[in-house]
Amino acid sequence: GGTTKEDVRKEGGAAAAAGKADPDAETKKGLTVGFLPKQVNNPYFTTADKGGQKALEELGSSFKEVGPSSGTDTSGQVSYVNTLTQQQVDAMAVSAQDPGALCTALKQAMGNGIKVVTYDSDTRADCRHAFVSQASAEDLGRTEVQLLAEQIGFKGKIAILSAAQTATNQNTWIEFMKKELEDPKYKDIELVKVAYGNDDAQQSFQQTQGLLQEYPDLKGIISPTTVGIKAAAQYLSGSKYKGKVKLTGLGTPNDMRTYVKNGTVEAFELWDPAALGDLAARTAVALASGQITGREGETFTAGGTEYTIGKDGVINLGKPTVFDAKNIDSFDF
Amino acid sequence: MPESLTRAIRWDTVVGALLIVLLLLSFGFVDGFGNALNLSFLIGNTLPIALIALPMTLLVVSGEIDLSVASTAGLSGAVMGALWNQGMTIEAIIPICLLLGVVCGLVNGLLVTRLGLPSLAVTIGTLAAYRGIAQIVLGSDAVTDFPSQYLDFAAGRVGDTFLPQAFLPFLALLAIAVVTLHATPFGRSLFAVGANEEAARFAGIRVRRQKLLLFTVTGMTASLTGVFWALHYASARYDNATGLELSVVAAVLLGGIDFDGGKGTLGGAIAGVFLLGALQNVMSLKDVSAQSQIVVTGILLVLSVLGPRVARQVSAARAGRRAASGKPPAPARAPTST
Amino acid sequence: MSHPSRPGPAPVLALEDVAKSFGAVRALKGVSLELFPGEVHALAGENGAGKSTLIKTLAGVHRPDAGQVLLDGGPVVFHGPGDARDAGIAVIYQEPTLFPDLSIAENIFIGRQPRRGLGRIDHRATREATAALMERLGVALDPERPARGLSIADQQIVEIAKALSFDARVLIMDEPTAALTGSEVARLFGVVRALREQGAAVLFISHRLEEIFAICQKVTTLRDGARIASEPLAGMTEDDLVRRMVGRDLDELYPKQDVVPGEVALSVRRLTREGVFTDVSFEVRSGEIVGLAGLVGAGRTEVARAVFGIDRRDAGEVEVKGRALTNGAPSTAMAAGLALVPEDRRAQGLVMDMSIERNIGLTGLRTTVRAGLVDRGAERSRSLDWAVRLHVKYARIADAVSTLSGGNQQKVVLAKWLATGPEVLIVDEPTRGIDVGTKAEVHRLLSQLAADGVAVLMISSDLPEILGMADRVLVMHEGRLTAEIPRSDATEETVMAAATGRAAA
Amino acid sequence: MTVSAPARPPLAEAPKSGGTRLADRVFTMRELAILLVFLVMLGVTQAGNSAFLSEQGVKDLLLNATILVLVAVGQSLVVITRNVDLSVGSTLGISAFAAGTWLQGGGHPVVAVLLAVLMGTGFGLLNGLLVSLGQVPALVVTLGTLYIIRGIDSIWVGSRQITAADLPGGFVDFGSGGISAVPWLAMIALGVLVATAYYMKHFVSGRELYALGSNPEAARLAGIPVRKRILAAYTFCGALAGLAGVLYLARFGNVDSGTGNGYELTVVSAVVVGGVVFTGGSGSVYGAALGALLLTSINSVLPALGVSSVWVLAINGVLLLLAIAVDRIVAQRVATALKKKPAHVELPRLPQKEDTRHA
Ligand SMILES: Nc1ncnc2c1ncn2[C@@H]1O[C@H](COP(=O)(O)OP(=O)(O)OP(=O)(O)O)[C@@H](O)[C@H]1O
Ligand SMILES: Nc1ncnc2c1ncn2[C@@H]1O[C@H](COP(=O)(O)OP(=O)(O)OP(=O)(O)O)[C@@H](O)[C@H]1O
Ligand SMILES: [Mg+2]
Ligand SMILES: [Mg+2]
């Protein structure tokens, strides 16, 4: 008689949030908040963390950023959680490479009185106080399908070019895309394949080529990853498929500007990463000030907007922005 | 070269000394380094590298290399997750994973010893293959709900001390490895195999069998590491431990193990592993950025080979001077009879 | 000028009071030497006397610690082997230095290939020049064949061809004949004589004294790094020369003891390895020394390898003391009491970077064990014991064997195998590169072993050694045993006849 | 002539009959084996998907291979000298970024190419100096410089990136353009490949690279300028990595601090698959290039056949193993053929001693 999954399930998990929130508590100053992105030197995270830094300066607290130089170095990220714990920051904002791997270290941190906010990419709910979500996964998934469907006239084969197969957020969005496609108005659209480019330019390139060779009558591609969409756009713009195969997904305006202008891409979307960092920072400060504890239903104000904490301590940033030839020049990130 | 033998011996003591100096300095001057939690994290995070470094050192001494270790670890973690999801008991899963590691190692070993392929090439191939199989087995799942007594063992400490519980079994394995390499006939013959395989064969050493055994043990240790990794980080994913092979290789090289085979000590290799681990820990605490840490690691590696080289030249020059000064005055030329 | 008094031509190349040390070892202690055009000069001395070191100093491999090298009477400093080569000095080193991946032609002409327009290599001319050289040496090696897998003898031939290709003013040869049989040696000497007549200066090293007397005019003897004498050979006897080298009179060179052969210890039946040798059967009895003769490439070494299990046999059986040996398993052969002293000491006999102690200890790893661990004390005393018995000249037993002179390395190989206390001993060119004094030692040892009941199979290209030591001589020709000649009938003529296939069975 | 031996066949003729062809076959057969594997793979894929070898498909195949071919050619030179350069990925990344920064500032593309090549040359020189002057194991040194260059790159680049928008349009178009199915980039790579191969076969210094990889000690004794040659091989390898960097920029229109990360294993695989032996002295640049072509094509073949991405990695690994195993078996066949054929063209009837004496 050993231990099986069933036995463990019976034990049940522990809830993270404890204590009582005081919405009227004063916002503390002089706090230190450590940002721990999936990877330093990643433009997306740099923009996000800059947003966090700005918010913290505004609130009179200080900012620091640490992180591994590789986006797959999970053990490296764990040791950085440990480093922040040792340095006794007041709160940390973490974008987790792995939902489970950081748990032990994060729990140690929470045990030492450090408030933990995850942003962009979550861990298990019991390993942090709150999660700042870039946009509701449902919104993202559904709007991307809507964007593409309009571009291809609600007809034809489409494919998805994702990042790694394990990317949790990608997978959630893809689930919602599939749900959206069940709507009868998409009855002429067929999702033929989900390909994985592992957030690597060359691999995303070759996956795009493969999709087009396998389905020569492909009408559109959704790539819900900034690396993937960029690589796919670069490939399309240099091939005979330029303008014929529609491409949309998540991308940054700076990355995609050329391709929107040269007609490879009509429209794509993204939330503002700086706003994400900003909210993560403000949530961290609110937690450290005792204004919230991460329980469902608590509310707090950040940058003039009131946010309500949803189920499992999730806070949604809002709707993503759609970029196209008309508005793209007014963004710079 | 006589120096090259003594070089290995000297270099591993240098690395050991460096490690001690670093530890002493860090205890004294780095905030947050000396507390039990940090030390346990430091050791816990370094353990996977140290574990794999044990058989890797033996393998490298015998003139081979296994780059597939990280993938084997990932595969065993993935299989562990998949079987766990199937509802098997953890007590049955772990032996299966170890067995799987044996098979992985055996495949490497057979390809190298039977087909005579270079191990570097073979294990680059299996590096991809094993990781790929892991991906097929577990897909995008991340399994986290392993039983807490196992998780606690893999992440927990001995009482209130800084020692992770898993460190004690590691010490036992280390002792076994040291004795095997440096005191048994088997280990001793590995040095001969690494330095001159043909001469070893002529001396009646069963080269192929030994190598096969080493690859198998390496595979098993790698899968043990994979199991430990999944429990330590409470997460079984197909991409667990990606890139670990390079860390192991770097640490082992730093410890003075010669990749041409036939040279090195386990003490040096393990000192190298913990030196790198401790250095990274200290640098993080000191807010040295990840990028600069990479540069420091690189410089350390270059110095680890240039250092002994310079030391050798200095000592050779000194010996030459000594010999020259001890020489009697040149004798008068012997008369030639023709 | 070193010798203003001397009339006649000036020396092309000379050493003046040259000293060279390796750490604590003083390999050369103020040695002088002069090489004149049109003269073959011998360098004689025991193993480790400093001959190779002297040659490497002339060749620019080593820089002398003191003293100088004179070229055409003026001092020169060679910064590397390239400088010496450019000065017209061609060297054959003691150990072959070939590039296994390159063809024989490229091995010979590397760096000096004939060119055509724009500095491109003229491959055809290279090939033809090589073929011409081979013709000159009377050996039909294929110029396009890669050097990998050439037998030691063939390697030596390529080395000789390389040295000849320089058309050098000075030709230096460090034991070029050690691996060659009589006919190739004769051929080589023909070429050397021709060169001498064309005015080249030649420096020649050999432990076979008859060779020195056959082609040299002058001899310089070294002992312990110091020059003993430099004198004309005319009027000297072999004993004179030996006395200068060793400092005493020589023991009998072939101290063969008469023994009554015991029972069959090694039995080889219908042994075949396809394409290499066919249907080889013979027996060796306890107490017997059986010689295995043949021309270079006849397949003797291959037979020994297959008997010991290094190579797998395609057919046939091998029995040691009635126990059949597993195919391709040297470890079981060793367990049965078989030992093989291989012919290529660097590649097969020794781990060059390992200490003398551990090299000898390598064959005893399974016997010098206590509680599963290596018994270091026993290992050291076993190694010391044999190193002393074989007069290995070393500084410390923990030194790497690579620091030993060639002959002393050979002794370590012997020690390594004798230490196993074999019942059947196969020695492949056991005295290659060993000086006369030690050679007698080795012979006495083999003789003693036989007297103690060990069965010895001795492969040698040194015909006098075979004739002097063997109770029985087996002769191979092109992969087959062609004759078995009892000691009483064995003469140079009978053995050569069988070896060249003229008396094929 | 010292000796007359009428019984022997004329020697100058003998090699031409069997030897030359055999020796040539030794070298070409290994490459043929890889080529065969490659062609079979293409054939199977074409059968499964007729769009695969369309004009666009062929162009894609060639484009995908270009960068790896260049780096593999450089790497093979280093490996032939019994060394290795693990830092090529880092060099590629940093050179690409340097070129990108130059172009971003409005620089001329030709200068950008020169800049990248120069940068690569510099790092190659550094590696070469460390390895040849220090006479230390190349694996360790270049693993060290891999980290160092990568670190410097990340510190310098930070989170900046250069995208197609920052580059002159002509430059990016050049990256994907060409004459029908043959891209410009592939032509550059082919030019470099053929020139290098010709140099390696027909120039003394090229042959010396083989020699010193085959037996370094003998090379020293033969008076080959060992350090100079090793230095040259590393410099060339670095220069090609730099060139590959700027082509990468043209091709992908995008660089950041992660560009070229982990590339060293791919390059080493390509070289090994291409039959360049790690212990030095044997193999050819054509083999390395074929290895690169094979490896990159696998990544195109699998998606084209509609194989799920989940399987790609595993199949990749197995194919890699298969390729080396096939190569090995071919090599063994050749070795056996060599062994069966005696070293001696024909065993000469050795003349009696008296015959030679009369010289
Ligand atoms: N590289 C080296 N390092 C240390 N000692 C060396 C080295 N080379 C030679 N020696 C020592 O120098 C001495 C002379 O060696 P050398 O090789 O010149 O002898 P030799 O006369 O050629 O002997 P043999 O007949 O055995 O070839 C020996 O004691 C040897 O051990
Ligand atoms: N390792 C090897 N690989 C390939 N061919 C070899 C190898 N060793 C020997 N040969 C070839 O096999 C043939 C038989 O060589 P072998 O060494 O057995 O002859 P031998 O009678 O012992 O002569 P030697 O006097 O050279 O020792 C020769 O033509 C030789 O070139
Ligand atoms: Mg010598
Ligand atoms: Mg032989």
Side-chain angles (χ1 to χ4, degrees):
Chain A
T3 321
T4 65
K5 196 179 177 80
E6 277 309 302
D7 304 334
V8 172
R9 197 166 293 159
K10 279 176 219 141
E11 286 173 17
K20 205 168 149 24
D22 172 12
D24 301 324
E26 203 177 321
T27 303
K28 286 191 187 156
K29 286 189 194 299
L31 301 171
T32 305
V33 179
F35 270 70
L36 173 50
K38 277 188 188 172
Q39 180 186 19
V40 291
N41 277 356
N42 177 318
Y44 167 80
F45 282 110
T46 305
T47 314
D49 293 358
K50 287 244 172 69
Q53 180 172 17
K54 224 169 125 215
L56 287 170
E57 276 163 11
E58 225 178 278
L59 295 173
S61 288
S62 55
F63 163 90
K64 75 185 291 176
E65 185 193 32
V66 294
S69 57
S70 145
T72 52
D73 179 12
T74 311
S75 66
Q77 219 187 6
V78 172
S79 24
Y80 277 109
V81 173
N82 170 44
T83 303
L84 289 175
T85 311
Q86 293 309 322
Q87 294 173 336
Q88 284 161 357
V89 294
D90 297 286
M92 60 176 90
V94 180
S95 174
Q97 285 184 10
D98 181 302
L102 272 63
C103 273
T104 318
L106 288 177
K107 282 180 177 166
Q108 294 270 16
M110 293 194 291
N112 280 4
I114 297 171
K115 303 297 175 196
V116 177
V117 180
T118 51
Y119 68 107
D120 178 74
S121 196
D122 200 8
T123 60
R124 292 206 316 260
D126 58 330
C127 311
R128 44 79 179 159
H129 294 105
F131 169 53
V132 178
S133 171
Q134 44 272 59
S136 100
E138 178 153 9
D139 271 355
L140 278 174
R142 290 187 189 272
T143 50
E144 278 168 46
V145 171
Q146 287 156 13
L147 269 176
L148 187 65
E150 278 161 27
Q151 293 176 17
I152 63 172
F154 291 88
K155 200 171 159 97
K157 291 181 179 163
I158 63 166
I160 295 172
L161 175 66
S162 179
Q165 215 193 346
T166 44
T168 337
N169 44 6
Q170 306 272 332
N171 291 338
T172 330
W173 299 332
I174 293 171
E175 278 317 303
F176 282 112
M177 290 181 202
K178 287 179 179 163
K179 285 219 181 89
E180 174 76 9
L181 282 169
E182 283 162 15
D183 190 307
K185 70 179 170 190
Y186 303 113
K187 63 178 190 317
D188 291 332
I189 294 183
E190 184 193 355
L191 173 61
V192 289
K193 186 164 180 177
V194 181
Y196 299 91
N198 287 322
D199 267 357
D200 172 272
Q202 176 117 24
Q203 282 184 40
S204 304
F205 241 72
Q206 291 185 326
Q207 287 297 336
T208 314
Q209 293 166 6
L211 285 174
L212 293 167
Q213 281 175 355
E214 196 182 355
Y215 305 101
D217 53 347
L218 198 70
K219 284 283 177 294
I221 299 174
I222 301 176
S223 184
T225 147
T226 52
V227 179
I229 193 172
K230 193 161 61 182
Q234 169 72 8
Y235 173 72
L236 290 178
S237 76
S239 77
K240 63 176 184 184
Y241 306 107
K242 176 175 168 179
K244 300 196 185 97
V245 177
K246 304 293 179 190
L247 174 68
T248 189
L250 301 178
T252 72
N254 284 352
D255 282 354
M256 302 302 292
R257 205 175 317 273
T258 327
Y259 309 115
V260 170
K261 297 213 163 146
N262 75 13
T264 312
V265 174
E266 272 178 32
F268 62 95
E269 63 180 0
L270 195 70
W271 55 92
D272 181 352
L276 180 67
D278 175 280
L279 183 56
R282 289 175 196 279
T283 310
V285 170
L287 277 167
S289 307
Q291 294 161 347
I292 51 171
T293 62
R295 243 188 234 111
E296 185 171 354
E298 291 173 349
T299 60
F300 71 110
T301 327
T305 320
E306 190 178 82
Y307 291 91
T308 309
I309 300 179
K311 189 169 169 291
D312 280 339
V314 177
I315 303 162
N316 273 322
L317 180 64
K319 288 222 180 293
T321 316
V322 173
F323 306 96
D324 57 21
K326 286 190 286 292
N327 70 357
I328 193 161
D329 280 335
S330 45
F331 296 92
D332 181 22
F333 64 88
Chain B
M1 311 248 149
E3 297 93 345
S4 43
L5 265 183
T6 47
R7 175 188 66 151
I9 297 163
R10 265 198 322 223
W11 181 249
D12 62 12
T13 30
V14 169
V15 175
L18 278 178
L19 176 61
I20 292 170
V21 169
L22 176 71
L23 290 180
L24 289 179
L25 284 179
S26 312
F27 274 116
F29 300 106
V30 180
D31 282 343
F33 180 82
N35 75 51
L37 186 66
N38 182 58
L39 289 178
S40 75
F41 263 104
L42 161 59
I43 299 174
N45 288 337
T46 316
L47 262 187
I49 299 176
L51 256 175
I52 296 185
L54 296 179
M56 186 72 96
T57 304
L58 270 67
L59 204 54
V60 172
V61 163
S62 78
E64 303 288 344
I65 191 171
D66 184 352
L67 291 180
S68 74
V69 282
S71 298
T72 307
L75 176 58
S76 102
V79 167
M80 181 165 147
L83 293 179
W84 177 250
N85 278 346
Q86 300 277 310
M88 260 175 94
T89 67
I90 189 93
E91 290 78 8
I93 293 174
I94 292 178
I96 292 178
C97 286
L98 296 187
L99 202 68
L100 183 74
V102 168
V103 173
C104 289
L106 215 56
V107 169
N108 286 332
L110 286 174
L111 284 171
V112 170
T113 59
R114 297 293 134 178
L115 280 186
L117 299 173
S119 55
L120 190 75
V122 165
T123 55
I124 286 179
T126 49
L127 175 143
Y130 295 161
R131 184 69 70 186
I133 298 171
Q135 193 177 2
I136 295 168
V137 169
L138 197 60
S140 58
D141 254 3
V143 183
T144 58
D145 55 350
F146 295 111
S148 51
Q149 65 269 35
Y150 284 85
L151 296 178
D152 290 347
F153 171 77
R157 293 183 268 158
V158 182
D160 253 354
T161 65
F162 65 87
L163 279 183
Q165 288 180 29
F167 193 62
L168 301 178
F170 166 74
L171 280 185
L173 290 180
L174 174 63
I176 294 174
V178 167
V179 170
T180 307
L181 180 62
H182 295 296
T184 64
F186 172 79
R188 291 282 292 277
S189 58
L190 290 183
F191 286 92
V193 171
N196 185 348
E197 184 169 331
E198 200 178 358
R201 228 154 51 82
F202 271 86
I205 294 167
R206 300 179 185 186
V207 176
R208 294 207 289 187
R209 186 183 297 196
Q210 289 197 351
K211 286 190 173 171
L212 190 62
L213 183 66
L214 279 184
F215 274 107
T216 312
V217 171
T218 307
M220 195 176 79
T221 315
S223 69
L224 181 68
T225 308
V227 169
F228 172 72
W229 183 290
L231 293 175
H232 182 71
Y233 295 120
S235 169
R237 297 200 319 182
Y238 86 84
D239 62 355
N240 270 5
T242 301
L244 195 69
E245 69 279 346
L246 223 53
S247 309
V248 175
V249 168
V252 167
L253 285 176
L254 182 63
I257 310 296
D258 191 330
F259 264 58
D260 289 337
K263 279 167 213 150
T265 64
L266 249 174
I270 296 302
V273 170
F274 281 98
L275 180 63
L276 275 187
L279 202 62
Q280 270 160 13
N281 181 282
V282 168
M283 287 193 290
S284 300
L285 286 175
K286 283 273 158 204
D287 282 334
V288 176
S289 72
Q291 299 93 297
S292 313
Q293 292 189 20
I294 300 178
V295 179
V296 171
T297 309
I299 291 176
L300 211 61
L301 271 175
V302 173
L303 286 185
S304 83
V305 285
L306 281 184
R309 163 93 194 152
V310 171
R312 226 179 328 160
Q313 265 169 353
V314 169
S315 73
R318 209 182 292 146
R321 241 177 289 131
R322 217 182 302 125
S325 61
K327 206 171 291 172
R333 204 167 54 237
T336 18
S337 31
T338 29
Chain C
M1 282 289 139
S2 46
H3 285 279
S5 59
R6 185 218 305 271
V12 228
L13 188 64
L15 285 180
E16 211 175 58
D17 290 335
V18 163
K20 176 78 196 171
S21 301
F22 299 100
V25 178
R26 292 173 59 201
L28 292 178
K29 309 169 187 167
V31 174
S32 300
L33 177 83
E34 290 173 330
L35 300 179
F36 292 94
E39 190 174 88
V40 184
H41 194 123
L43 193 57
E46 286 182 284
N47 293 134
K51 304 181 294 296
S52 299
T53 308
L54 186 147
I55 275 180
K56 287 183 178 162
T57 311
L58 282 176
V61 177
H62 293 325
R63 201 85 76 75
D65 296 340
Q68 54 185 353
V69 181
L70 302 173
L71 184 71
D72 293 323
V76 281
V77 176
F78 294 138
H79 293 281
D83 287 357
R85 187 187 68 186
D86 295 342
I89 303 170
V91 187
I92 300 174
Y93 296 98
Q94 188 168 8
E95 310 293 345
T97 52
L98 298 184
F99 306 107
D101 299 292
L102 300 193
S103 70
I104 288 177
E106 284 201 297
N107 261 290
I108 291 174
F109 285 102
I110 187 74
R112 310 174 288 122
Q113 290 99 329
R115 327 265 163 103
R116 46 200 179 105
L118 303 170
R120 289 167 305 156
I121 297 171
D122 188 339
H123 291 289
R124 194 189 155 88
T126 313
R127 213 158 43 223
E128 280 163 5
T130 307
L133 277 170
M134 290 299 160
E135 175 126 14
R136 215 166 134 199
L137 285 169
V139 183
L141 281 174
D142 176 359
E144 285 294 292
R145 183 194 196 281
R148 188 182 299 285
L150 284 181
S151 71
I152 291 279
D154 286 339
Q155 291 182 32
Q156 200 59 263
I157 301 265
V158 177
E159 287 290 343
I160 293 171
K162 194 197 306 187
L164 292 183
S165 73
F166 283 104
D167 280 324
R169 298 194 296 153
V170 182
L171 175 62
I172 299 177
M173 302 189 283
D174 194 349
E175 302 194 31
T177 56
L180 303 186
T181 50
S183 32
E184 287 126 344
V185 172
R187 193 73 82 129
L188 172 66
F189 284 0
V191 176
V192 169
R193 282 193 196 98
L195 284 175
R196 188 194 65 204
E197 271 149 33
Q198 289 159 21
V202 180
L203 182 62
F204 178 78
I205 297 181
S206 176
H207 288 297
R208 299 182 186 168
L209 301 188
E210 72 277 9
E211 292 180 354
I212 292 185
F213 283 95
I215 57 160
C216 298
Q217 284 78 52
K218 233 184 256 166
V219 63
T220 293
T221 30
L222 291 179
R223 199 191 303 154
D224 286 335
R227 189 179 69 172
I228 301 301
S230 235
E231 57 207 326
L233 265 168
M236 267 175 91
T237 63
E238 287 204 4
D239 288 343
D240 293 337
L241 186 52
V242 168
R243 217 170 298 119
R244 285 195 185 41
M245 284 165 58
V246 192
R248 59 185 157 85
D249 280 318
L250 183 61
D251 312 301
E252 194 193 347
L253 194 50
Y254 302 115
K256 178 78 185 93
Q257 301 180 19
D258 282 326
V259 288
V260 185
E263 53 198 72
V264 175
L266 173 68
S267 148
V268 174
R269 280 193 300 275
R270 311 205 64 121
L271 199 65
T272 299
R273 204 170 133 72
E274 248 175 82
V276 186
F277 56 84
T278 316
D279 199 12
V280 172
S281 305
F282 62 88
E283 287 179 346
V284 185
R285 294 172 175 274
S286 301
E288 228 185 357
I289 298 181
V290 174
L292 183 53
L295 295 183
V296 165
R300 297 162 298 168
T301 299
E302 302 276 344
V303 168
R305 287 168 64 108
V307 167
F308 191 59
I310 295 290
D311 296 331
R312 294 183 70 81
R313 50 182 188 260
D314 296 328
E317 282 121 57
V318 179
E319 277 178 17
V320 173
K321 295 251 159 186
R323 271 171 65 187
L325 296 189
T326 325
N327 196 358
S331 53
T332 52
M334 280 173 71
L338 189 63
L340 168 66
V341 175
E343 73 173 335
D344 185 344
R345 57 175 173 255
R346 287 170 72 88
Q348 302 160 345
L350 297 169
V351 182
M352 298 304 280
D353 281 349
M354 241 187 216
S355 67
I356 304 165
E357 177 185 3
R358 294 217 168 165
N359 266 288
I360 300 178
L362 213 52
T363 50
L365 279 179
R366 239 171 291 167
T367 44
T368 47
V369 173
R370 215 171 43 193
L373 305 183
V374 177
D375 183 343
R376 294 194 185 200
E379 183 185 40
R380 168 155 292 205
S381 61
R382 177 178 180 270
S383 301
L384 267 173
D385 186 28
W386 280 97
V388 170
R389 276 175 79 173
L390 289 175
H391 305 281
V392 179
K393 190 178 165 219
Y394 59 86
R396 281 174 313 173
I397 192 98
D399 285 343
V401 272
S402 57
T403 64
L404 297 182
S405 78
N408 281 302
Q409 290 175 4
Q410 183 69 27
K411 290 186 212 167
V412 174
V413 184
L414 275 170
K416 174 177 165 183
W417 283 105
L418 293 183
T420 61
E423 295 188 68
V424 179
L425 178 65
I426 306 177
V427 287
D428 195 352
E429 312 284 0
T431 55
R432 186 159 69 83
I434 286 193
D435 67 51
V436 272
T438 315
K439 206 170 191 168
E441 210 82 51
V442 170
H443 289 155
R444 196 172 28 257
L445 201 83
L446 289 177
S447 200
Q448 183 60 47
L449 283 170
D452 292 347
V454 175
V456 180
L457 177 67
M458 184 169 82
I459 302 173
S460 176
S461 298
D462 189 356
L463 204 48
E465 180 172 71
I466 293 264
L467 297 176
M469 292 300 297
D471 292 300
R472 229 168 356 117
V473 182
L474 302 171
V475 187
M476 283 188 76
H477 172 65
E478 295 189 358
R480 286 176 186 274
L481 267 187
T482 49
E484 177 171 345
I485 309 171
R487 183 178 178 84
S488 48
D489 298 345
T491 63
E492 197 149 329
E493 285 67 39
T494 52
V495 174
M496 278 316 283
T500 50
R502 270 176 286 142
Chain D
M1 266 292 101
T2 41
V3 173
S4 56
R8 235 173 322 113
L11 272 164
E13 215 172 87
K16 270 175 224 143
S17 54
T20 314
R21 266 183 264 127
L22 181 74
D24 277 353
R25 248 183 289 150
V26 176
F27 299 112
T28 49
M29 257 171 90
R30 308 187 69 164
E31 279 119 49
L32 279 182
I34 311 162
L35 194 62
L36 195 75
V37 173
F38 178 65
L39 292 179
V40 167
M41 196 174 81
L42 291 194
V44 169
T45 315
Q46 178 65 13
N49 178 350
S50 56
F52 183 64
L53 289 183
S54 64
E55 188 180 317
Q56 180 71 40
V58 172
K59 185 175 157 192
D60 288 344
L61 273 185
L62 293 176
L63 267 180
N64 292 340
T66 302
I67 289 153
L68 189 59
V69 165
L70 277 179
V71 185
V73 165
Q75 183 74 261
S76 62
L77 250 64
V78 173
V79 173
I80 282 170
T81 66
R82 199 182 275 196
N83 285 294
V84 67
D85 186 354
L86 293 181
S87 71
V88 282
S90 304
T91 306
L92 184 150
I94 201 167
S95 316
F97 197 84
T101 328
W102 173 258
L103 288 171
Q104 194 179 26
H108 194 276
V110 175
V111 183
V113 173
L114 288 179
L115 191 72
V117 173
L118 215 65
M119 190 135 191
T121 310
F123 283 118
L125 207 62
L126 173 74
N127 282 322
L129 283 174
L130 285 173
V131 171
S132 65
L133 292 187
Q135 289 183 333
V136 289
L139 196 74
V140 195
V141 169
T142 57
L143 185 62
T145 50
L146 175 155
Y147 285 132
I148 294 174
I149 301 172
R150 167 74 48 214
I152 292 174
D153 188 25
S154 339
I155 293 171
W156 177 43
V157 176
S159 63
R160 287 182 294 162
Q161 58 174 348
I162 287 168
T163 61
D166 305 321
L167 301 171
F171 183 72
V172 180
D173 291 343
F174 178 76
S176 49
I179 302 175
S180 79
V182 187
W184 303 120
L185 300 192
M187 290 183 212
I188 295 179
L190 189 71
V192 169
L193 171 66
V194 171
T196 313
Y198 191 82
Y199 165 80
M200 289 298 277
K201 185 156 170 54
H202 293 287
F203 284 83
V204 171
S205 42
R207 300 311 299 169
E208 287 181 346
L209 290 183
Y210 280 97
L212 71 90
S214 197
N215 185 349
E217 179 57 22
R220 207 171 63 84
L221 292 178
I224 295 174
V226 174
R227 291 180 176 182
K228 218 165 102 188
R229 295 283 174 269
I230 292 182
L231 195 63
Y234 269 103
T235 310
F236 183 68
C237 179
L240 284 193
L243 178 62
V246 70
L247 298 194
Y248 182 100
L249 182 68
R251 165 80 172 125
F252 293 105
N254 193 289
V255 278
D256 56 32
S257 66
T259 301
N261 219 343
Y263 208 54
E264 57 282 345
L265 276 192
T266 317
V267 176
V268 167
S269 312
V271 168
V272 168
V273 167
V276 181
V277 182
F278 247 85
T279 44
S282 91
S284 75
V285 285
Y286 282 125
L290 270 173
L293 189 60
L294 184 71
L295 277 194
T296 47
S297 301
I298 292 176
N299 280 326
S300 300
V301 161
L302 297 180
L305 283 177
V307 176
S308 155
S309 319
V310 179
W311 293 84
V312 168
L313 195 57
I315 295 178
N316 235 324
V318 172
L319 282 180
L320 185 61
L321 287 175
L322 220 66
I324 24 185
V326 166
D327 175 55
R328 173 70 192 179
I329 289 162
V330 170
Q332 261 170 350
R333 285 275 155 80
V334 173
T336 333
L338 257 184
K339 217 171 171 178
K340 288 262 158 69
K341 185 184 144 58
H344 297 256
V345 181
E346 177 180 295
L347 278 171
R349 279 289 139 105
L350 280 150
Q352 289 288 57
K353 269 189 181 169
E354 296 81 60
D355 296 348
T356 46
R357 283 278 155 82
H358 70 73

